[in-house]
mmCIF file of all heavy atoms in Angstrom:
data_model
loop_
_atom_site.group_PDB
_atom_site.id
_atom_site.type_symbol
_atom_site.label_atom_id
_atom_site.label_comp_id
_atom_site.label_asym_id
_atom_site.label_seq_id
_atom_site.Cartn_x
_atom_site.Cartn_y
_atom_site.Cartn_z
ATOM 1 N N TYR A 44 -6.622 38.175 -9.314
ATOM 2 C CA TYR A 44 -5.212 38.597 -9.560
ATOM 3 C C TYR A 44 -5.145 39.588 -10.606
ATOM 4 O O TYR A 44 -4.417 40.570 -10.505
ATOM 5 C CB TYR A 44 -4.352 37.348 -9.737
ATOM 6 C CG TYR A 44 -3.022 37.747 -10.068
ATOM 7 C CD1 TYR A 44 -2.087 38.212 -9.112
ATOM 8 C CD2 TYR A 44 -2.551 37.682 -11.374
ATOM 9 C CE1 TYR A 44 -0.851 38.506 -9.466
ATOM 10 C CE2 TYR A 44 -1.263 38.076 -11.727
ATOM 11 C CZ TYR A 44 -0.327 38.576 -10.887
ATOM 12 O OH TYR A 44 0.890 38.953 -11.173
ATOM 13 N N HIS A 280 29.316 40.292 0.454
ATOM 14 C CA HIS A 280 30.298 40.586 1.538
ATOM 15 C C HIS A 280 31.574 41.455 1.193
ATOM 16 O O HIS A 280 31.844 42.200 2.089
ATOM 17 C CB HIS A 280 30.738 39.232 2.102
ATOM 18 C CG HIS A 280 31.339 39.278 3.398
ATOM 19 N ND1 HIS A 280 32.632 39.448 3.599
ATOM 20 C CD2 HIS A 280 30.768 39.006 4.704
ATOM 21 C CE1 HIS A 280 32.935 39.471 5.032
ATOM 22 N NE2 HIS A 280 31.938 39.212 5.573
ATOM 23 N N LEU A 282 31.570 43.785 -0.983
ATOM 24 C CA LEU A 282 31.133 45.188 -1.224
ATOM 25 C C LEU A 282 30.612 45.946 0.085
ATOM 26 O O LEU A 282 30.669 47.020 0.160
ATOM 27 C CB LEU A 282 30.125 45.222 -2.379
ATOM 28 C CG LEU A 282 30.465 44.848 -3.740
ATOM 29 C CD1 LEU A 282 29.213 44.657 -4.669
ATOM 30 C CD2 LEU A 282 31.429 45.810 -4.188
ATOM 31 N N LEU A 310 9.676 43.420 19.084
ATOM 32 C CA LEU A 310 8.814 42.267 19.171
ATOM 33 C C LEU A 310 7.502 42.792 19.777
ATOM 34 O O LEU A 310 6.457 42.382 19.484
ATOM 35 C CB LEU A 310 9.396 41.215 20.061
ATOM 36 C CG LEU A 310 8.650 40.081 20.447
ATOM 37 C CD1 LEU A 310 8.412 39.147 19.125
ATOM 38 C CD2 LEU A 310 9.265 39.271 21.563
ATOM 39 N N ASN A 401 7.221 46.320 6.116
ATOM 40 C CA ASN A 401 6.333 46.295 5.013
ATOM 41 C C ASN A 401 5.844 44.920 4.779
ATOM 42 O O ASN A 401 6.525 43.865 4.901
ATOM 43 C CB ASN A 401 7.093 46.772 3.765
ATOM 44 C CG ASN A 401 6.146 47.082 2.669
ATOM 45 O OD1 ASN A 401 5.046 46.632 2.435
ATOM 46 N ND2 ASN A 401 6.586 47.965 1.726
ATOM 47 N N VAL A 411 2.116 29.819 2.499
ATOM 48 C CA VAL A 411 1.922 29.465 3.857
ATOM 49 C C VAL A 411 0.616 30.189 4.522
ATOM 50 O O VAL A 411 -0.168 29.471 5.129
ATOM 51 C CB VAL A 411 3.210 29.820 4.668
ATOM 52 C CG1 VAL A 411 2.885 29.486 6.182
ATOM 53 C CG2 VAL A 411 4.286 29.057 4.084
ATOM 54 N N VAL A 414 -2.631 28.461 2.712
ATOM 55 C CA VAL A 414 -2.921 27.111 3.157
ATOM 56 C C VAL A 414 -3.433 27.215 4.662
ATOM 57 O O VAL A 414 -4.445 26.608 5.018
ATOM 58 C CB VAL A 414 -1.789 26.274 3.067
ATOM 59 C CG1 VAL A 414 -2.117 24.880 3.693
ATOM 60 C CG2 VAL A 414 -1.459 25.990 1.503
#
Side-chain angles (χ1 to χ4, degrees):
Y44 172 76
H280 191 277
L282 291 173
L310 180 67
N401 197 330
V411 176
V414 169

